[in-house]
Amino acid sequence: MRMDLTLNGRPAQWEAAPGATLLAVLRDEGLVAAKRGCETGDCGACTVLLDGQPVNSCVVAAARAHGHRVTTLEGLADDPLMRRLQDALVEHAGVQCGYCSPGMLVSLYHLLRACRAEGTRPGDHAIREALSGNLCRCTGYVKPVAAAAAVAAALAGIPATGTEAR
Ligand code: FES
Ligand code: FES
């Protein structure tokens, strides 16, 4: 099955087996930031953006990407908001084993990007809600939430550039 899509801001063509998941194809393409966790849509380790919305790529058919926009953590590497989130997660010791971190980052990016566009600032409740689909066995969530809150406090000063802003 041949697919044409926008992958991390650029046109891409994929050949994928019928029934292949988006996660499987991404990882076959060498985009391995999205992690293989439960593969049942429960842990969020495989979170990517599909047309700007977070999805569990392990339960999304690769065929859904045809004609659509897929953004992975790799594609957000040049985005100032994502870089601030990554730095904050490290500074607040919000990374332990790190397996959940890519998925958490994509979920937090989605929340904060939307808040910046609306001119709002998310509180801890909204941050926890954004992370509700990202299971973490190590951190207890306190430190990742503190990291996101610190970025939220500085949100207005973070420029809107990068893959998702184009
Ligand atoms: S690996 Fe996709 S939700 Fe767990
Ligand atoms: S840091 Fe280990 S699962 Fe979250």
Side-chain angles (χ1 to χ4, degrees), residues 104-158:
M104 272 198 183
L105 283 164
V106 172
S107 296
L108 289 173
Y109 175 87
H110 175 257
L111 170 71
L112 293 182
R113 184 171 173 269
C115 289
R116 181 176 57 192
E118 292 163 0
T120 58
R121 175 172 161 183
D124 284 7
H125 181 74
I127 293 169
R128 285 182 176 275
E129 218 164 53
L131 290 177
S132 61
N134 296 93
L135 301 187
C136 176
R137 290 175 177 230
C138 307
T139 65
Y141 297 94
V142 171
K143 291 175 177 178
V145 170
V151 177
L155 201 51
I158 303 175

Side-chain angles (χ1 to χ4, degrees), residues 23 35-47 56-59:
L23 176 65
K35 297 289 178 272
R36 236 186 255 284
C38 62
E39 295 192 86
T40 53
D42 295 307
C43 76
C46 62
T47 306
N56 290 329
S57 60
C58 69
V59 290

